[in-house]
Amino acid sequence: MQLYSDSFQDGGVIPEPFAFGKIDPVAQVALSTNRNPHLAWRDVPAGVKSLVIICNDPDVPSVGDDVNQKGKTVPASLPRVDFCHWLLVDLPAATTSIAAGQFADGVTPRGKSGPQILKNPLPPARHGLNGYTDWFAGDADMGGDYFGYDGPCPPWNDALMHHYVFTVYALDLAQLPVDGNFTRPQVLAAMQGHILAQASLTGLYTLNPAVI
């Protein structure tokens, strides 16, 4: 099974239009156009009943004390944790691609709706919660449930280049047994023993001009 994208090359930089945040010369960071990238896959094995797509950033600082603080740098040596950027389940097995901007085109304050996808072009696909749900918790302007795709916005003072791993999983289940506002750990647990094949590609992104 192979996964590829017309939006960026494996191991290459993710273009700004597919990010949540972009470099701003005055404010360090500004909102970007936040479009989901194009993804396509081939060589799916026989017996597949549905597909799952996850985008995860494993390079998020484990301690946030210095994140986006003027005069400080988040050291590359700091231990890192996961941050989910996209959680899409129950894609029909016949699906072979997702168009750029098909599921996300712009930043939605307080998050896009879900888990059902309005005007869903690929029923019965569902979106799970991404990491911005926790990141913006308590924020009067941005707090809410963030479903679906929301792109990269790493700390602008992080010394480490962030890696965004897009993975498509081919399952022997027509519907994944997760309900409500489900999250990445729940999806990973529910897929155990049901993955027939998987494929990944990785894009890079940073908001720190010194890392580019």
Side-chain angles (χ1 to χ4, degrees):
M1 189 170 178
Q2 293 179 301
L3 176 63
Y4 62 97
S5 175
D6 292 342
S7 300
F8 65 94
Q9 293 186 349
D10 189 24
V13 173
I14 296 173
E16 191 176 90
F18 304 108
F20 189 98
K22 61 182 179 181
I23 294 175
D24 184 281
V26 177
Q28 279 77 46
V29 62
L31 295 179
S32 188
T33 48
N34 196 42
R35 307 182 77 221
N36 70 269
H38 163 268
L39 295 175
W41 46 92
R42 53 179 171 249
D43 301 331
V44 177
V48 172
K49 296 182 179 180
S50 72
L51 302 161
V52 169
I53 291 177
I54 297 177
C55 175
N56 186 62
D57 172 10
D59 297 322
V60 172
S62 58
V63 179
D65 295 351
D66 295 333
V67 167
N68 297 336
Q69 298 297 311
K70 289 185 177 180
K72 295 185 178 180
T73 298
V74 178
S77 59
L78 186 72
R80 304 290 166 148
V81 296
D82 291 322
F83 187 105
C84 181
H85 283 269
W86 198 2
L87 195 55
L88 179 58
V89 307
D90 298 345
L91 274 175
T95 310
T96 58
S97 66
I98 289 174
Q102 182 172 342
F103 289 106
D105 192 358
V107 172
T108 302
R110 301 185 180 279
K112 292 182 288 295
S113 61
Q116 282 68 38
I117 304 169
L118 298 180
K119 299 181 180 178
N120 187 359
L122 294 170
R126 295 177 290 157
H127 271 144
L129 292 174
N130 67 50
Y132 287 103
T133 302
D134 292 332
W135 176 255
F136 285 123
D139 187 303
D141 298 318
M142 297 294 286
D145 289 335
Y146 282 73
F147 289 92
Y149 178 82
D150 285 297
C153 191
W156 54 259
N157 63 339
D158 199 339
L160 184 69
M161 175 70 77
H162 283 229
H163 297 71
Y164 297 84
V165 183
F166 292 78
T167 304
V168 59
Y169 299 88
L171 307 184
D172 63 4
L173 297 171
Q175 184 175 23
L176 199 66
V178 290
D179 297 307
N181 297 354
F182 56 89
T183 61
R184 178 174 172 267
Q186 291 173 308
V187 168
L188 292 175
M191 289 194 298
Q192 289 300 311
H194 298 285
I195 300 172
L196 300 179
Q198 67 186 73
S200 299
L201 78 162
T202 300
L204 310 178
Y205 198 76
T206 182
L207 293 173
N208 186 346
V211 178
I212 297 175

